[in-house]
Amino acid sequence: MPPCPTCSSTRKYVFKTSRSVVATFSSCGHLAHPHRSLTKRFASSSTPDGVLKKPSNDFTSPRPESLTLLHKTRALLPRVLESTGTSGSSRTEKTTKLWDSVLSKVHEDLSATNERPAKIFVCGLDEWSEAEELVTALLADVFSSATQNDALRDRWKDDTQEKVSISHGNNINIASSSLQLPSGYLTQFHVPIEIVEFRPPGRSTSSVPQMLESSAIFEADVPIIVCNPLTTSLSTILGAQLPSNTIIVLTSTIIQAELDAIIQQQTSNLQTPRLSTFKVPEVISADPERAMDAIRILQAEPNSFSAIQRYQVDFMGSGLSKITNALQTKLAAKPHIPTIRTDIALSHVSDILQWALSSIHRARQETDKAFVDVSHLRDRIQEARARVEGDVFGGRRHGSDKMVVDEVDEAMKQTEKEMRHVMNGLTWWRMIWRVDDISGIISSALTRSWCRGLESKLIMHTGRLSGLQDSMSQSAFTLLSAHPTISTAVLRNNLLQLKASPNYHLSPDSLTEPLFTRRNQIIEYPTTRLHVTGQRAVLGMTGGILSSVGISWAGWLGWLVGSGEGLLGFVGIDASTAIGVGMLGAVASIRWAIGRWEKSKKRWWQDWARVGEGLDRDLKVCF
C-alpha cells in the first residue's frame, strides 16, 4: 500500500530501502574495481583487415560476485516498488516486466562463456531527426557495390515495418525487417555489432517523454538517440532518465566544446535536480547529411583529387567519427572484466540500481511535498475554524483582530432583559390569580425572546460553513490527486465514508440545536418547578388564611352570642385575642407565600445562569 506522508514508519522504510540501494551500488562498484589478484587478463589478437582485438574466452564459469549482485538486485526491486508507493498500478506492472526482461538477459550474459554481437539501437525522436541518414552514413562504403548501396538505401521500402535489424554477413541478405551486409563498420569494434534501427515517429504518435521511456532503449546494449535541436528541446532529453551507455546525437554543426558548455548549463537549470550518482549521457553533434554528400561526391569521381580532398573535409566535418569513437569506448575490453558481454550486463544492473535510487529519491520528495501540502491544508482548516468561530461568537472593532463582543453572552443578556420584565410582572398577588398559567406565560415569553438574533446568525453561518466544508473536501481530494504516492484506496474510501456520513451534511438545525435544547431545558425543569412552587404557595397561603379566619370567627361568634368568652374560652382565649390570632395567622400565611414565591424565582434565575453558561459551551463544542 502506498505510504502516508504523516507516518514516521513510511519515512523509515523509504530510508531503509535507499540504504539497501546504496549498499548494492557499493557491491557493483566492487565488481567494477576488484583486487588485482582476482582479475584475469585475456589475450587479444588483431585481424589483417583492420578488425580490432577481441578478448579470448579462457574462463569456464561466471564470477559468483556478479550473480550475487544480480540476485540482490532482483530481490530489491519489489521493495523499491513498494516503498515508492506505485505498487499495483499499470505503470508499475509495465516497469516490472521491463526490468524482469532486462535482468533475464543480464543473467544470460553473466552465465555465458562466449561473446555475442552488441545490439546498437538507433532511434530518432521525430521525422526531422535524420536517424535514417545517420545509419546510412555510418554503414555506407565508398568502394561498396551498387547492390549493397541499393540494399542499404531501400531498407525502409516496406512502410509497414517498425524496425530494421542490420547485421554483418559475407553476402547481402535481405529479409523481412532484417538486412545482412558485408560492411566493415559492423566488425571494426572489439565485438561485432548489430544495429537495430527504429522508424522515426510521425507527428501524431507518442510524445518525446514517452519515447524516452521506451523499453527498447533500456534493453539495448548501446542506445543511440538522434534528435533535431530545432524540433526537440535538449532539456527534455537531459531531464529524462536514460541508460548510462546512451549516446545522444544532435543533427547540427555546433562545435563540441560549445555543446558541452550548453549541456552543463542545461543540466544545472533542470527543474528536477539530478542525483550526484547520475551520469549525464554523452551528447555528440553530427551532420549525417554532410557525410552522405561527401560519400556521393567521392563515389561520383573516385579518381579526382579534389573530390578526395572534399570528401575528407566534409566527412571529418560531419562528426560521424565522434560517434564511432564513442562506440569504441563503450565496447572496449576492460582488463578487470572477463568479456564485453559481462561489462554490458553490469551496466544494465547499474542502470536498474540507478533507477531504483532515483525512484526512492522521487518518492521521498513526493512524500515531503505531500506532507507540506497536508500541513497547509490543516493550517487552512484551523484558520477557517478560528475565523468562523470569531465571526459567529464574537464581534471585532474595525481594523482590529481583537474580540470585543461575546455574541452568546449578548444574546443571553438581551433575552434576560426581556424575561426580567415578564418575571417582574409575576408578583405574588398576580401569581395568585394566574397560578395555573405560570408555565404557559414563562414558556411563551421564553420561546418568543430566546436568542432571536443569535439564532438568525447561526442559520446564516450554516450556509457559509456548508460552502466552506465543500471547499475543504474538494481540496482534500485534489491533494490526493496531486500526490498519487499517498493516494491509496483505503485513504480515499475513508474520506468518502466521512463525506457520506449523516453528520457530515449541515442543516439549519446543525448549529441551532443547542439553542433549542437549552431553551427546552429551562422550560421543562426550572419553569415547571417554579409553577409547582407557586401552586404550593397559593395552597399553603389559602390554608393558612382559612385556618386563621376560622380561629377569628370562633372567637367573634362567642362574643356575638353574648357568651363572653366565645367558643375558645375553654382554652383561655377571649374573643379579641382570637380575632388577633386569626389576623396574625393570615398575615403570616401571606408572608410565607410571598417568601416561598420569591425564593423560587431566585432559584429559577440561578438555573437560568447555569443554562446560559452551558449554552456557550455547547455552541463552541458544536463548532
Side-chain angles (χ1 to χ4, degrees), residues 265-313:
Q265 181 183 6
Q266 291 281 348
T267 304
S268 61
N269 294 335
L270 290 177
Q271 295 182 354
T272 304
R274 291 183 177 272
L275 296 175
S276 59
T277 58
F278 189 86
K279 180 181 178 181
V280 179
E282 186 172 1
V283 183
I284 298 174
S285 63
D287 189 356
E289 193 64 36
R290 185 178 180 183
M292 289 297 301
D293 291 340
I295 294 174
R296 295 190 192 100
I297 291 174
L298 187 58
Q299 286 178 342
E301 300 177 291
N303 298 323
S304 173
F305 178 77
S306 60
I308 295 175
Q309 186 178 14
R310 185 176 177 183
Y311 166 79
Q312 292 176 345
V313 173

Side-chain angles (χ1 to χ4, degrees), residues 47-245:
T47 58
D49 56 352
V51 179
L52 297 181
K53 50 188 177 179
K54 305 176 184 180
S56 62
N57 301 321
D58 57 351
F59 57 93
T60 58
S61 63
R63 298 189 56 179
E65 293 91 342
S66 301
L67 295 179
T68 301
L69 175 63
L70 176 62
H71 174 72
K72 290 183 178 180
T73 303
R74 191 183 294 273
L76 181 66
L77 283 180
R79 296 174 56 191
V80 173
L81 293 174
E82 182 180 358
S83 65
T84 53
T86 56
S87 180
S89 63
S90 58
R91 183 185 181 89
T92 302
E93 293 177 358
K94 182 179 179 181
T95 304
T96 303
K97 292 180 180 179
L98 169 61
W99 293 136
D100 286 343
S101 175
V102 173
L103 289 176
S104 297
K105 295 179 180 179
V106 168
H107 184 270
E108 294 177 2
D109 291 338
L110 294 179
S111 303
T113 58
N114 57 345
E115 291 285 11
R116 63 166 175 81
K119 290 187 178 294
I120 311 299
F121 283 22
V122 180
C123 176
L125 296 183
D126 53 42
E127 54 186 326
W128 300 282
S129 61
E130 300 182 9
E132 181 179 352
E133 289 78 2
L134 175 65
V135 175
T136 303
L138 289 175
L139 298 180
D141 190 352
V142 177
F143 304 103
S144 60
S145 63
T147 305
Q148 180 175 339
N149 292 335
D150 293 340
L152 183 61
R153 184 181 61 252
D154 298 336
R155 64 186 184 276
W156 287 107
K157 191 173 183 180
D158 186 2
D159 296 335
T160 61
Q161 60 187 14
E162 295 295 329
K163 63 180 180 179
V164 175
S165 177
I166 306 174
S167 58
H168 180 268
N170 294 327
N171 298 315
I172 300 175
N173 186 6
I174 303 175
S176 177
S177 301
S178 65
L179 175 64
Q180 287 186 351
L181 297 174
S183 174
Y185 188 87
L186 299 175
T187 58
Q188 68 172 314
F189 303 97
H190 287 76
V191 291
I193 65 172
E194 178 183 351
I195 297 179
V196 180
E197 181 185 1
F198 289 85
R199 181 183 294 275
R203 300 183 182 181
S204 61
T205 55
S206 302
S207 61
V208 172
Q210 292 177 341
M211 294 181 58
L212 295 177
E213 296 177 357
S214 173
S215 59
I217 294 178
F218 292 91
E219 292 176 352
D221 296 334
V222 180
I224 299 178
I225 300 176
V226 188
C227 65
N228 190 328
L230 296 178
T231 57
T232 304
S233 173
L234 182 60
S235 59
T236 303
I237 303 176
L238 295 177
Q241 186 172 351
L242 299 172
S244 56
N245 280 341

Side-chain angles (χ1 to χ4, degrees), residues 555-566:
W556 175 76
L557 183 61
W559 175 78
L560 185 63
V561 298
S563 63
E565 295 179 355

